[in-house]
Amino acid sequence: MKKFYNDNLSHVPISPLNDNVDEKLLDLYMSPKIFSMCKDKGAFTQKNKRVTKYKDVFQTDNKMNRRIFLQGEAGSGKTTFLGKLALEWCKSTSSHMESSKNTDLKTIDDQNKLSSSSTYHEQSDMPCAWSATNDDSDTSTASTVTTELSDKSRASFQTTEESDISSSYESFSEDSDSSCYSQAIGHTNNSSNIFADVDALQDYIFVFYITLRNLVKRFEVHTMIKEQIIDSIYSEDDREKAYRLVNEIMKRERCLVLLDGLDEWAGSGDHHNLPTLVSVFNQCVMFMTTRPWKLAEGKVKHSEIDAVFQLEGINEPFELSRIILSRLVAKAELEIKHKAFKRYIRNQKLRKLISSPMMLSVIVCSYAEGIELKGSKCEIYILLLESLLKKANSEMRTFEQSPSPCFRGTQYIQPNMERLNRLAEMAFHLLFVNAKENSLVFNITELKKFKMDERKQQDFALKSGILSAKLTASTLRSLSSFMFIHKSMQEFLAAYHIACNTNLIDDIISIYLNRHPKAYLDISQVFIFLCGLDISYAEKLSRMMHERHALDTNEYSNNHMCNRIVLAGYREANANGYSNISLKLSHFYINSNNIIDLHKIWENNAANAIELYIDDMKPFENRRTSLANDECASQITFDLHSCLELKILHLTGRCILVKGKYQKGTFV
């Protein structure tokens, strides 16, 4: 089995968009950020308590958890965590499995004989409420299980097949080529002590790793193990013997069943909302991963849940980015490239995104291919959007005529355009039409408005990971609340919807800006995305935002914020190939990091300028305008002849030339 896991779990793709390029999981693995959750008013809410040990996952108050759930958003690292756990079990139990090779299965057979005509009692040391009807039962009372073996079954254990099964147990337990695994485990780069208590895994005789999305309408765990593990390891002649052996082991030994992707599992359609273990396997533990929306559906009873944990991504994203880069760039360039990558993340304010391994890999791979040099957020989010859409529908098709320059060359967006357009429309209306308190977290009523409540549409949005769902805390009824995977993804889709509809700025956004006095600051990310998607609409929105800013109190902080927003929008437009960009700005705060880009904006806004603040103490030699622009200059000239509104002028530096003469409050 260890060889089977090493062959199937030991490698992971570097990029979500290309499954063919993979690396050893243990080389790429980074410690996860996992938090425990507690029940509060009918829902599970995240506690501040960080979980860093396997023991704290498997036990609560010194009692073993029988049904464990690890939930996290798309791409947060759930599958990788389970794969790492399975591989660590292989290593930690090597010596244990060695001693188990000589297990005398005749002992098992003798026990079967004794129990075939009578009942035996097992005291479970892992109490768990299996259903709501058991809530009032005494969990300390031993469960009574009747084991009946047919005469034919008993005979089979007494014949020469016994030695064959014993051989199967030996091969099932021991890796025939342990060097492969040893080589993989030796390359781990994560030296932290998080989840380092691998000895906790030795409590389990076997660990069964099941991928649920591949088991349509199967609900019995032992059947899943047979179809996905036993049938993959053994030839047809040996499968039945191995299956019977595993069945006996699961009756008597503590086993851990890892079930990956509960949200991707299609059960039998009846009352089976979870994979089930028959009651005779009462020492087995199920550890399931899922996205939050699956538990939010309310179909899984609280009595069926012993522990829930929240995975919030990885602990050291920059270290993982360095490892991924080392596979993509020349060794001599690694340090320089990685330092530049970290600067890029800081400058583009993407720090919150890179805790997700999937988002991080998209950003790093795009950087390695040169996309980072343009500094385009739109391209990053389109790459991310492709990786999410691919999860729900892997059909590939390119655009004959792209709706935006950013969509050129994409492969997974065109086949999903209808669904994507609905999601984009909903994202826009939630931000600009709904009440602010319902703009980010919403209920099924909002889905109905945009025909997203239909089963196929909702499943697509949830399975792709673009939408997430959680159970609303309420003791009266089970209600699900929905949200986009990240607010920035909602803002990107809203900007895309604006770019596809010419009337929205005048008809809806203008009303929104009138209703909320400082909303011109709140919509900054939508504006920046729009600059990359369609600059003409962004210029129109820029003028509208400038008008609202002029009506504001002109607080110093708001002026600075507008300066940053317009600068970011200009850079996004520039990164996406737009020229002659005309964004509106009246307050200029210029330093050595933005002087060339803001000078470009100044050229179209000198007549509107109210404040010009320049503090550039560094020589201007060989400085570029932005990550996307190779233009250099040895000096910058600010022409003040047309500055009819200028009220504040502050100049500091050696490389600034000013034309014009100040006379009677203006420059002439």
Side-chain angles (χ1 to χ4, degrees):
M1 183 187 285
K2 288 190 284 185
K3 186 177 188 305
F4 175 73
Y5 286 159
N6 188 57
D7 290 343
N8 292 276
L9 301 178
S10 62
H11 285 73
V12 293
I14 292 179
S15 169
L17 294 176
N18 189 353
D19 294 336
N20 296 323
V21 181
D22 58 8
E23 286 286 338
K24 292 178 181 178
L25 181 151
L26 296 166
D27 286 351
L28 298 177
Y29 186 79
M30 280 292 122
S31 302
K33 291 192 294 185
I34 295 178
F35 298 86
S36 59
M37 302 188 74
C38 62
K39 192 185 300 183
D40 180 28
K41 297 180 181 179
F44 286 92
T45 58
Q46 183 173 317
K47 297 193 295 184
N48 292 327
K49 182 181 178 182
R50 178 90 177 268
V51 178
T52 59
K53 294 182 179 180
Y54 286 123
K55 178 183 176 182
D56 295 332
V57 172
F58 296 128
Q59 297 183 18
T60 301
D61 297 328
N62 294 321
K63 290 185 179 180
M64 294 297 294
N65 297 317
R66 292 290 301 276
R67 286 182 173 136
I68 306 166
F69 295 82
L70 177 66
Q71 65 178 20
E73 297 297 352
S76 59
K78 302 183 296 294
T79 297
T80 304
F81 181 76
L82 287 195
K84 176 69 156 41
L85 188 156
L87 292 175
E88 287 190 323
W89 171 79
C90 292
K91 183 187 179 185
S92 68
T93 56
S94 292
S95 58
H96 181 73
M97 290 295 101
E98 187 69 26
S99 63
S100 298
K101 290 195 301 179
N102 300 319
T103 299
D104 186 357
L105 289 178
K106 194 172 186 304
T107 303
I108 296 177
D109 182 40
D110 292 340
Q111 292 174 346
N112 287 334
K113 290 179 181 178
L114 292 172
S115 61
S116 62
S117 59
S118 62
T119 61
Y120 72 90
H121 301 273
E122 287 188 348
Q123 175 67 45
S124 173
D125 61 348
M126 296 180 290
C128 173
W130 282 85
S131 65
T133 58
N134 293 331
D135 286 347
D136 297 329
S137 62
D138 184 359
T139 57
S140 65
T141 303
S143 61
T144 303
V145 182
T146 301
T147 304
E148 296 182 357
L149 289 178
S150 65
D151 292 339
K152 182 177 179 181
S153 298
R154 291 198 303 273
S156 68
F157 275 94
Q158 292 172 325
T159 63
T160 55
E161 282 193 8
E162 181 178 309
S163 60
D164 294 335
I165 298 173
S166 182
S167 298
S168 296
Y169 186 19
E170 182 174 331
S171 63
F172 200 69
S173 303
E174 184 179 10
D175 184 358
S176 61
D177 184 9
S178 60
S179 63
C180 295
Y181 180 79
S182 299
Q183 184 180 11
I185 198 75
H187 287 290
T188 178
N189 284 294
N190 186 10
S191 59
S192 75
N193 292 321
I194 299 176
F195 290 102
D197 59 328
V198 294
D199 57 314
L201 304 178
Q202 295 177 10
D203 292 340
Y204 302 98
I205 297 300
F206 279 109
V207 170
F208 300 102
Y209 185 104
I210 303 296
T211 303
L212 288 174
R213 66 173 174 268
N214 298 330
L215 295 163
V216 178
K217 296 188 177 180
R218 300 286 193 273
F219 62 90
E220 292 182 334
V221 169
H222 64 277
T223 302
M224 296 177 176
I225 293 172
K226 179 182 183 298
E227 292 186 9
Q228 199 166 100
I229 298 179
I230 294 177
D231 290 355
S232 298
I233 294 177
Y234 293 99
S235 64
E236 187 173 352
D237 293 339
D238 296 330
R239 287 172 186 167
E240 185 60 31
K241 291 179 285 187
Y243 176 58
R244 287 176 22 236
L245 173 62
V246 170
N247 187 62
E248 291 301 317
I249 293 171
M250 293 181 70
K251 287 179 183 178
R252 308 184 184 284
E253 303 289 353
R254 186 177 296 176
C255 298
L256 176 62
V257 183
L258 305 177
L259 298 160
D260 185 36
L262 182 63
D263 55 291
E264 300 176 292
W265 176 64
S268 58
D270 50 18
H271 62 284
H272 294 105
N273 298 311
L274 289 175
T276 60
L277 281 168
V278 294
S279 58
V280 73
F281 298 155
N282 60 357
Q283 292 202 74
C284 294
V285 173
M286 291 197 299
F287 188 175
M288 291 167 267
T289 67
T290 183
R291 294 184 191 168
W293 68 264
K294 187 65 177 180
L295 295 182
E297 282 185 324
K299 294 181 180 180
V300 181
K301 300 176 183 177
H302 287 183
S303 59
E304 297 174 315
I305 301 172
D306 288 315
V308 182
F309 300 91
Q310 180 73 28
L311 176 57
E312 295 288 354
I314 55 176
N315 198 43
E316 299 175 4
F318 280 123
E319 178 60 23
L320 179 56
S321 70
R322 186 182 185 281
I323 294 171
I324 296 175
L325 271 178
S326 71
R327 271 63 174 177
L328 302 173
V329 302
K331 184 177 181 180
E333 299 178 349
L334 177 59
E335 294 304 324
I336 295 174
K337 289 279 189 180
H338 190 236
K339 288 180 181 178
F341 175 78
K342 290 195 289 185
R343 286 195 301 270
Y344 172 71
I345 294 298
R346 287 194 296 269
N347 292 339
Q348 300 301 320
K349 296 180 175 60
L350 298 174
R351 185 65 176 82
K352 291 182 180 180
L353 290 180
I354 63 172
S355 63
S356 163
M358 182 182 69
M359 291 187 179
L360 175 61
S361 63
V362 170
I363 294 171
V364 173
C365 291
S366 66
Y367 162 82
E369 294 175 4
I371 296 176
E372 180 273 337
L373 297 177
K374 295 182 180 180
S376 171
K377 285 189 175 180
C378 286
E379 287 183 278
I380 292 171
Y381 277 80
I382 286 172
L383 284 169
L384 175 58
L385 187 60
E386 276 212 283
S387 66
L388 294 173
L389 293 173
K390 178 187 175 184
K391 290 178 176 291
N393 179 14
S394 59
E395 181 184 353
M396 298 170 61
R397 199 182 313 142
T398 58
F399 286 99
E400 292 183 5
Q401 186 173 357
S402 172
S404 170
C406 297
F407 284 69
R408 291 173 189 157
T410 58
Q411 295 178 311
Y412 299 101
I413 292 180
Q414 202 280 336
N416 298 297
M417 280 302 294
E418 181 181 351
R419 293 186 176 106
L420 181 61
N421 286 336
R422 288 190 187 186
L423 286 167
E425 182 182 11
M426 184 171 69
F428 172 82
H429 280 267
L430 288 168
L431 287 176
F432 291 99
V433 179
N434 271 28
K436 271 185 170 290
E437 56 269 21
N438 299 322
S439 62
L440 300 179
V441 180
F442 44 95
N443 57 35
I444 192 69
T445 303
E446 302 304 326
L447 297 183
K448 289 179 180 179
K449 291 180 182 178
F450 304 97
K451 299 181 180 179
M452 291 297 300
D453 60 317
E454 299 172 8
R455 189 76 257 174
K456 287 184 178 180
Q457 300 293 341
Q458 193 176 138
D459 284 350
F460 177 87
L462 293 171
K463 288 180 178 179
S464 68
I466 295 174
L467 284 188
S468 177
K470 293 183 180 179
L471 191 65
T472 302
S474 172
T475 56
L476 298 178
R477 61 181 67 88
S478 295
L479 297 174
S480 290
S481 58
F482 300 87
M483 66 287 299
F484 283 85
I485 181 177
H486 198 277
K487 182 182 178 182
S488 59
M489 177 58 74
Q490 182 178 355
E491 291 168 325
F492 174 75
L493 291 173
Y496 163 70
H497 186 64
I498 297 171
C500 295
N501 295 271
T502 59
N503 61 316
L504 294 178
I505 295 177
D506 287 328
D507 293 350
I508 295 179
I509 296 180
S510 61
I511 297 173
Y512 174 81
L513 292 175
N514 288 333
R515 192 167 69 238
H516 305 288
K518 294 186 181 296
Y520 65 90
L521 301 176
D522 295 342
I523 66 173
S524 60
Q525 287 301 317
V526 175
F527 166 74
I528 292 167
F529 284 132
L530 189 59
C531 287
L533 293 169
D534 192 310
I535 189 58
S536 62
Y537 293 161
E539 289 171 344
K540 185 174 184 179
L541 181 56
S542 171
R543 292 191 290 272
M544 191 173 289
M545 292 169 66
H546 183 265
E547 291 173 1
R548 300 312 188 275
H549 177 220
L551 296 174
D552 201 355
T553 57
N554 282 327
E555 296 176 357
Y556 180 79
S557 59
N558 290 349
N559 297 339
H560 265 273
M561 181 63 71
C562 287
N563 183 88
R564 290 196 293 269
I565 292 170
V566 173
L567 174 62
Y570 173 86
R571 286 175 169 169
E572 183 65 27
N574 192 288
N576 284 282
Y578 290 108
S579 57
N580 300 320
I581 303 165
S582 181
L583 301 176
K584 200 83 166 178
L585 186 63
S586 58
H587 295 264
F588 290 81
Y589 300 92
I590 297 172
N591 57 42
S592 57
N593 296 319
N594 62 28
I595 188 168
I596 301 183
D597 290 332
L598 279 177
H599 180 258
K600 292 287 186 181
I601 300 172
W602 165 273
E603 291 176 345
N604 291 314
N605 285 275
N608 313 313
I610 295 174
E611 181 178 7
L612 176 60
Y613 186 104
I614 302 176
D615 187 356
D616 185 35
M617 299 300 295
K618 297 179 182 178
F620 199 68
E621 183 178 359
N622 293 330
R623 199 174 310 159
R624 297 193 308 178
T625 60
S626 67
L627 291 171
N629 198 325
D630 289 328
E631 180 182 349
C632 296
S634 59
Q635 66 180 28
I636 289 291
T637 301
F638 284 87
D639 191 339
L640 304 181
H641 282 98
S642 57
C643 294
L644 303 178
E645 304 294 332
L646 191 64
K647 297 179 180 179
I648 301 173
L649 177 63
H650 176 99
L651 304 176
T652 303
R654 297 177 296 168
C655 308
I656 305 167
L657 300 180
V658 179
K659 290 183 179 179
K661 183 171 63 175
Y662 186 77
Q663 183 177 8
K664 295 182 180 179
T666 62
F667 285 89
V668 296

